[in-house]
Amino acid sequence: MNLWKRLMCACRRRSPWLFHMNSGSCNGCDIELVASLSPRYDAEQLGVRLEGSPRHADILCITGPVTKNSVGAIRTVYAQACSPKAVVAIGSCPATTNVFIDSRTLAGPLDKHIPVDVFVPGCPPRPDAIIQGIAQAAAILAERGMDTPQAEISIAAPQAAVHHEVQP
Amino acid sequence: MNLLTALARLLLFPGLLFAVPAAWFFLWVERKAVALMQGRIGPPFMQPFYDFVKLLGKTTPPRTGIGGLLMRLWPLLAVSAAAGAVGMLPVLPASGGFEGDLILLLALLELPSVCIIAAGFTSRSIFSEIGSAREAALSVSYNIVFLLAIVSIAAAQHTFRLEALATMPASPLLWLGIAALLVCLPARLHLNPFSLPNAEQEIYSGPMIEYAGPELALWELSHGLEWVAATGLVATLLAPHITLWWMAVLLFIALSFLLVLLLSTLAAATARLAIDTTVRFYWQCSLLFAVLAISSALLMRLRS
Ligand code: SF4
């Protein structure tokens, strides 16, 4: 590994910028994610910055059980984030659809649609757990070198999942 | 010889070799000061550098329907204009070589904000267009105050030459002009309470929303360089005339640092104003201030 690559690895680990996306969560996890940036937990010590555009982000933080309506948006946002990128699924909802399981409005869990790197379990998880998840994702980002291109998903038919059959 | 000194000023001090690390340092001071004011610890010292290198190593997803070359051009132009502005600051006493005048410096200082406006409209996202429109409205209102303040200082000194302005003796008029300049700095640097163009919670990232990777890194750098140039301009006006070059350099750095600290504290202590309040603030309160400064400068000139 040459010097530039080592520097790049270090910088990727220390500068994770987040994009927060709600895919139909009950808002519990979203509040905890914001709390992890608050003075008490202060994720900015790790270089974390919450960004407004997925194009600026390295780590997508996705909360919620993935409703059928949000699938298209999730795929679009994932495609818009620049590689190398990582996905952190926050809460039990994106992992298992949690208490909303068997709902006919859901298309979850999340890893059916995009590759997920870190799951942070909990309903909602504590801010320290979220920060740990972000730190792990940042370490994964650092490993993901420039020469291993990431699986890009196609967003040709993003709304396909919306046409669901309504059960009687 | 003249060419050499000019190159040295542009590339070494106060040009690129000094300005780029100083830009990162000031960006860090801004974030750290906000963090400390909020009772947090804040980002590590090297954070802006890490961000810059990381952004350089990212890919850019294809942007359909946007002029690619134009999009790439704006951040480059902004960085070079801001770096040129820093390189022209009359920090070292009588260094010779190319001496730009105040008008060139003001044009270079203004160019990054024009680039931001153009970039927002080029990217054709609704959020960046709102951000650009805000930036344009803001720049029209603060620039009048900014220019009047500068012109009042220049009129009192009977010259547009930077060296002469930097060595100007302290007078009530100079202080009035500097105060008017200071009022404009938060808007020029997009800080609270005038952080309207990049209002994070309202319009996401404003004009920068479609930018990614290396281009975004250049925008961050140009923002840092704007910090150095804007605070440096006020610092050179504030600094008393010193012939020892290292003393002048140290004083320049210390004064700039104090200004950054002051502005970041203001940013942390205030919330964002609405656009109409901001524009009214600049047109009503500060304009009065600036008109006062320039009329007294002209009066002084008539009497002398
Ligand atoms: S994991 Fe729990 S807190 Fe989080 S979104 Fe799901 S139900 Fe809400």
Side-chain angles (χ1 to χ4, degrees):
Chain A
M1 230 199 290
N2 60 26
L3 198 64
W4 173 247
K5 272 191 185 161
R6 284 229 305 271
L7 180 70
M8 188 61 84
C9 271
C11 291
R12 280 191 180 133
R13 202 176 62 246
R14 284 154 207 256
S15 156
W17 289 5
L18 310 183
F19 181 76
H20 170 206
M21 188 172 174
N22 177 331
S23 67
S25 107
C26 76
N27 229 316
C29 291
D30 307 289
I31 290 172
E32 297 301 312
L33 178 63
V34 175
S36 67
L37 298 165
S38 69
R40 192 176 186 92
Y41 297 97
D42 192 19
E44 205 185 7
Q45 286 176 51
L46 304 178
V48 169
R49 212 166 101 171
L50 200 58
E51 283 294 325
S53 162
R55 281 174 183 259
H56 302 182
D58 307 293
I59 298 180
L60 303 177
C61 292
I62 302 187
T63 60
V66 188
T67 57
K68 283 182 172 160
N69 267 339
S70 69
V71 172
I74 287 179
R75 293 170 76 91
T76 311
V77 164
Y78 184 81
Q80 288 294 314
C82 311
S83 49
K85 58 194 164 192
V87 177
V88 180
I90 292 175
S92 304
C93 275
T96 63
T97 66
N98 203 9
V99 285
F100 305 108
I101 196 162
D102 285 343
S103 162
R104 61 184 176 182
T105 58
L106 290 189
L110 180 64
D111 53 0
K112 269 196 345 208
H113 304 288
I114 55 173
V116 178
D117 296 286
V118 181
F119 287 98
V120 182
C123 181
R126 288 187 57 82
D128 1 29
I130 294 178
I131 293 176
Q132 192 187 7
I134 291 170
Q136 268 178 25
I140 291 174
L141 266 184
E143 306 272 292
R144 217 165 254 167
M146 275 173 287
D147 29 33
T148 50
Q150 246 175 302
E152 297 291 339
I153 60 166
S154 85
I155 51 164
Q159 293 299 321
V162 176
H163 305 298
H164 52 279
E165 63 292 349
V166 177
Q167 288 157 5
Chain B
M1 194 58 211
N2 271 358
L3 193 68
L4 267 186
T5 23
L7 263 185
R9 281 179 62 167
L10 201 60
L11 296 180
L12 302 179
F13 187 89
L16 282 176
L17 194 72
F18 162 76
V20 172
W24 287 329
F25 177 63
F26 285 175
L27 287 176
W28 174 76
V29 171
E30 179 197 357
R31 284 173 74 176
K32 185 81 176 175
V34 172
L36 288 180
M37 287 279 286
Q38 292 174 347
R40 295 187 283 125
I41 293 178
F45 180 65
M46 298 279 278
Q47 191 59 47
F49 172 73
Y50 295 146
D51 291 347
F52 185 80
V53 176
K54 174 207 76 179
L55 284 174
L56 283 188
K58 293 199 72 148
T59 58
T60 321
R63 289 180 287 235
T64 40
I66 305 177
L69 185 68
L70 216 52
M71 284 285 273
R72 243 165 277 142
L73 204 66
W74 296 126
L76 267 179
L77 199 60
V79 167
S80 22
V86 178
M88 278 184 53
L89 290 177
V91 183
L92 299 178
S95 48
F98 171 74
E99 285 173 23
D101 61 2
L102 194 60
I103 296 172
L104 180 58
L105 179 65
L106 288 182
L108 287 178
L109 268 179
E110 191 49 35
L111 214 52
S113 124
V114 174
C115 289
I116 290 176
I117 297 172
F121 282 117
T122 314
S123 66
R124 292 169 63 179
S125 147
I126 182 86
F127 297 109
S128 23
E129 283 180 9
I130 295 174
S132 288
R134 285 179 173 192
E135 166 82 24
L138 200 62
S139 111
V140 166
S141 27
Y142 74 71
N143 256 326
I144 295 192
V145 184
F146 193 79
L147 294 181
L148 280 183
I150 293 262
V151 167
S152 74
I153 295 174
Q157 194 69 356
H158 297 233
T159 178
F160 274 120
R161 275 183 51 242
L162 285 172
E163 307 274 322
L165 291 178
T167 54
M168 186 173 165
S171 65
L173 192 66
L174 182 68
W175 290 112
L176 202 62
I178 287 177
L181 284 186
L182 277 180
V183 171
C184 300
L185 282 194
R188 186 166 273 281
L189 297 169
H190 307 152
L191 295 176
N192 270 347
F194 308 122
S195 61
L196 289 147
N198 53 351
E200 303 89 10
Q201 293 85 0
E202 302 165 25
I203 49 171
Y204 305 105
S205 316
M208 309 290 100
I209 201 162
E210 292 291 332
Y211 280 95
E215 294 156 8
L216 189 64
L218 285 186
W219 278 122
E220 294 273 319
L221 185 63
S222 95
H223 183 55
L225 288 174
E226 270 187 281
W227 266 103
V228 183
T231 55
L233 176 64
V234 179
T236 45
L237 290 176
L238 271 176
H241 183 49
I242 300 174
T243 33
L244 270 181
W245 68 269
W246 58 268
M247 282 276 280
V249 169
L250 277 187
L251 195 68
F252 170 75
I253 294 173
L255 278 174
S256 309
F257 177 71
L258 278 182
L259 282 170
V260 173
L261 220 52
L262 184 79
L263 290 172
S264 328
T265 317
L266 175 79
T270 51
R272 186 179 311 125
L273 294 172
I275 182 80
D276 50 340
T277 330
T278 309
V279 172
R280 206 177 306 130
F281 169 77
Y282 278 114
W283 279 99
Q284 291 181 350
C285 319
S286 328
L287 193 59
L288 213 72
F289 199 34
V291 167
L292 199 74
I294 192 161
S295 46
S296 47
L298 290 179
L299 272 183
M300 257 179 65
R301 208 177 146 176
L302 282 181
R303 278 177 52 203
S304 63

